[in-house]
Amino acid sequence: MKPTISNILVCVTQQKTCERLINKALEFSREGDSIFIIHVAKNNWSFLDNDKEGEALEYLFGIAKSIGANLTVLRSDEIVDTIVEYAWDNKINLLVMGDSKGDHSENHFYKSLKNSLDSVEIHVVPN
């Protein structure tokens, strides 16, 4: 039985492989649930000048659109804080993110999100 979830946030990077994260969010979702997709780029990152990264974001945008979700791209040097604020603003119940290299107990990004979003379930999708 799926948990009662109304708002799901998917954290993506500028890689086409993040489609698997969106698909995982779809597995968790039920009719009436909302899926939000976010990519936070540091202020000095120039992803639109990079053909591969721009193409990947456009690809992910197409996937988001096909499932009725929005892909939001934000700029911030405080990536965790920006995701946390976005999650609060959108009343997120579940956050889906990709697995980083290494053990989660050593993953600063995961720990920071978990500490700030203690009432949000975080599901890490393995590579």
Side-chain angles (χ1 to χ4, degrees):
M1 183 173 162
K2 292 183 182 178
T4 303
I5 297 170
S6 55
N7 293 319
I8 303 169
L9 178 60
V10 184
C11 297
V12 299
T13 61
Q14 65 280 12
Q15 298 175 346
K16 288 184 178 180
T17 57
C18 288
E19 178 179 4
R20 77 187 198 294
L21 305 176
I22 298 169
N23 288 335
K24 182 54 76 174
L26 277 173
E27 287 178 27
F28 283 115
S29 71
R30 296 172 303 139
E31 188 174 334
D33 290 349
S34 297
I35 297 176
F36 300 83
I37 304 167
I38 188 173
H39 171 64
V40 181
K42 287 201 173 199
N43 287 316
N44 61 347
W45 289 352
S46 180
F47 56 85
L48 294 179
D49 292 336
N50 181 319
D51 287 342
K52 212 170 209 168
E53 293 176 2
E55 180 184 314
L57 281 176
E58 192 167 321
Y59 175 77
L60 293 173
F61 173 76
I63 292 168
K65 188 175 176 183
S66 74
I67 64 166
N70 288 323
L71 170 61
T72 301
V73 178
L74 300 173
R75 285 199 173 276
S76 173
D77 289 329
E78 303 299 328
I79 293 175
V80 170
D81 291 344
T82 301
I83 292 170
V84 167
E85 185 176 333
Y86 187 90
W88 286 336
D89 289 348
N90 291 286
K91 297 175 179 54
I92 299 300
N93 307 91
L94 172 67
L95 185 143
V96 176
M97 61 182 273
D99 196 7
S100 298
K101 292 178 181 170
D103 182 0
H104 290 309
S105 62
E106 302 301 321
N107 185 328
H108 175 73
F109 183 72
Y110 171 82
K111 277 182 167 179
S112 297
L113 283 174
K114 191 66 184 155
N115 289 337
S116 298
L117 296 171
D118 59 347
S119 64
V120 174
E121 180 183 346
I122 298 178
H123 182 81
V124 180
V125 179
N127 289 331

